[in-house]
Structures are given as C-alpha cells and as structure tokens.
Amino acid sequence: MLRGLYTAASGMMTQEQRHNTVTQNIANVNTTGYKATNSVQRSFPEVLVSMIGGNDSTNAGRKLGKFNTGVYAEESISLYTEGALRETGKTTDFALVSSFMVQNPATGQPYPFDASGRYVDENGEVLYRPEGFFTVQNENGDIRYTRNGSFRVSPEGNLLSESGYQVLDNNNRPIVLTGPASDFTVNEQGEIMDAAGNGTGIILGVSIVSQPHGLIREGHGVFRMADPDGEVRFMAPGDNGVIRQGFIEGSNVDPTQSMVELTAALRAYETNQKIVQYYDRTLEKAVNEIGRV
C-alpha cells in the first residue's frame, strides 16, 4: 500500500517542478533574449516482482511481473530557438539571426536538425545545433554569454550589457567607443564602422557554442559554460549568422503552449493528490477500525 503512496507523492513533486518551470517561462514572456526552459521527466527504474515463501514450493521465485515506482523531474533543458525580432531604432540594440550548420562526415550534408535544434541519429545519439551568443565579461573577469543585445554606453565609453557586463570583441577585449553613441554603426558581420562608414577592425564578439545544452543559466539572461574546456569559437565569415543593429530579440516563450502545460501540470498534481488522500483514508481505517477487530 505504501508503494502507491510514495508513487503518488513523487508524482506531486514532479508536477510541482513542472509547474514552477512553466510559471518561470510565463513570467519572462516579455524578457529580451529569454530562452524558455522545459522540465524533463523520467520514471524510476522498473522493479521485477517475484513470489517468495508460501506452501507451494513450485511458486517460489515465480516472476509476477514489473511495476513502476514513480517519476521524478530529472533536469531542465533550455530551448534555444530564436525569438521574434522587434525594431527599436537604438544604435546600441542588437539581435543575432543565425542558423549554424554541422556537416555530417558520412554524407557530406548538414545534419537535419529539428525545430528545437536537435538531431537523433540511428544509434540514438543526440546532436545539438551550435548556437551563437554575444560575449560579455562580468566584474570578476569571467567570460559569459547572452542573447540579450540591449546594450548601453557608459560615461567612459564602455559598451555594457543590460546586466552591466562589459561587451567583448572577437579578441575577448572590452569594446570602448570613442565617439557619440548616435554615430555608433555596426554592419551585419558585426564590424564597428566609423562616422565615415569605414571599418575600424573591431568586431562584436559573437561566440558559437558547439554544445549549447552544456550551458548553465546564471540569471538575467546570462549563461556560462559547465565545462570550461567546452568548444567555443567566434563567428567568422562564411558562418550563417548576421547581426541586426537597431533590433532586439524577444523571448521564445509560447504563451498559449505554456498555459496548456500549466493546466496539465495542475490537473496531474490534483490527481496524485487525490490518490494520496485515498491512501491516507485507507490507512486510517486500517489503524482505527480494522485494528480493533
């Protein structure tokens, strides 16, 4: 009997985590560059039940079958699909539009990633499409990544992210502007142009992360590498990516789908709650009524 109680309780905790994940997405539906998160659920390993004891020795050890012992929220996975672009007209606002491809060495053709940026081969191995991020540096000098291109210029001329981090170029050097922000112009390859329209040789640092599923959120739209030795390179000519000045990327949260998932999580939570209440009443009867017989 207690197995069912534990199974229902694990279901409640899993749906609570799912609910929290969806509400976080809904709360950031208007956050610039926000990437939605999905809660991944897994079941505990199945248990093989066998018969033990009894007067009939032929039944001893007979396999009765398998049963599941519940589910749990294994992890939260970020979805790096691009959000809709919104024009602001500000010279310090940027959006990254990209679709980086990976060649299949066996066929010489790009892997056919799905809409979420995943590809599963015939052996069940999962490949992820590389994703691009603006490169920033926090106050401790650590490299971080963000899709939030709503930048600003400090009084000293430093180009800063919305979180106050220093925006870096493709040599990991802080970008410092020498003229007014109104004259700040960047072409689609990310090169900063002077007032006369000539290239300055300074290029916005757009990092391409080969394994984006290995990024860890730090809040405020900022990510860091879980593995410091993970493969990261700067966007180069020939990569399928452009920078749009005067635009920002919106959140990729689907409000309609989020409300559906929120309702489903609530209903599943209530169902498991009813099961827990049922077991509670059954145990109460077993202790207070049957125990007196």
Side-chain angles (χ1 to χ4, degrees):
M1 181 180 293
L2 291 180
R3 288 197 190 104
L5 185 63
Y6 295 146
T7 300
S10 69
M12 290 177 65
M13 291 187 290
T14 300
Q15 295 306 321
E16 181 182 12
Q17 178 61 38
R18 180 185 178 189
H19 179 275
N20 292 341
T21 300
V22 176
T23 53
Q24 174 182 313
N25 289 338
I26 295 175
N28 288 279
V29 70
N30 292 318
T31 301
T32 303
Y34 178 80
K35 298 305 175 185
T37 303
N38 277 352
S39 178
V40 179
Q41 303 172 29
R42 293 284 188 272
S43 62
F44 288 108
E46 291 184 335
V47 177
L48 179 64
V49 181
S50 301
M51 182 177 290
I52 60 174
N55 297 325
D56 188 355
S57 60
T58 60
N59 285 329
R62 183 165 63 91
K63 303 296 187 294
L64 300 180
K66 298 179 180 180
F67 73 93
N68 197 288
T69 54
V71 296
Y72 65 101
E74 183 181 46
E75 60 180 335
S76 294
I77 296 180
S78 297
L79 300 178
Y80 293 103
T81 55
E82 291 183 1
L85 300 190
R86 179 167 61 88
E87 186 173 7
T88 64
K90 292 179 60 178
T91 58
T92 54
D93 283 345
F94 299 93
L96 177 61
V97 181
S98 63
S99 181
F100 301 116
M101 294 290 103
V102 178
Q103 296 291 330
N104 185 338
T107 64
Q109 300 296 320
Y111 285 107
F113 295 106
D114 61 18
S116 64
R118 298 199 328 160
Y119 170 74
V120 182
D121 64 16
E122 60 275 7
N123 298 320
E125 295 185 7
V126 180
L127 300 177
Y128 292 88
R129 180 174 57 212
E131 299 292 343
F133 298 86
F134 295 109
T135 311
V136 297
Q137 185 179 54
N138 64 16
E139 60 276 3
N140 297 321
D142 301 319
I143 302 297
R144 296 294 184 261
Y145 308 98
T146 183
R147 292 285 295 203
N148 185 350
S150 181
F151 301 150
R152 58 185 174 86
V153 180
S154 71
E156 295 78 20
N158 296 305
L159 188 62
L160 305 177
S161 71
E162 196 171 61
S163 303
Y165 293 171
Q166 181 73 60
V167 180
L168 305 181
D169 63 13
N170 63 348
N171 290 310
N172 279 334
R173 294 179 300 196
I175 294 178
V176 181
L177 305 183
T178 57
S182 58
D183 296 336
F184 182 41
T185 305
V186 176
N187 63 19
E188 290 189 343
Q189 286 70 47
E191 184 176 8
I192 298 176
M193 316 299 287
D194 60 20
N198 300 315
T200 61
I202 301 175
I203 300 175
L204 279 175
V206 175
S207 294
I208 300 178
V209 180
S210 297
Q211 301 294 334
H213 66 286
L215 291 171
I216 297 177
R217 291 175 183 259
E218 287 195 343
H220 305 288
V222 177
F223 299 85
R224 64 178 173 86
M225 292 292 295
D227 180 8
D229 297 325
E231 184 179 349
V232 181
R233 65 177 179 86
F234 285 111
M235 189 173 71
D239 288 319
N240 190 17
V242 297
I243 295 176
R244 302 289 302 276
Q245 186 177 20
F247 290 80
I248 56 174
E249 179 186 357
S251 167
N252 66 351
V253 175
D254 184 342
T256 303
Q257 182 63 31
S258 296
M259 292 305 300
V260 172
E261 292 182 7
L262 191 66
T263 303
L266 178 61
R267 295 290 182 264
Y269 184 92
E270 291 175 343
T271 301
N272 285 286
Q273 185 182 43
K274 295 294 184 183
I275 294 174
V276 171
Q277 292 172 348
Y278 165 78
Y279 277 108
D280 181 63
R281 290 193 299 267
T282 303
L283 290 171
E284 182 181 8
K285 280 193 173 186
V287 173
N288 296 330
E289 297 181 17
I290 300 177
R292 292 200 302 263
V293 177

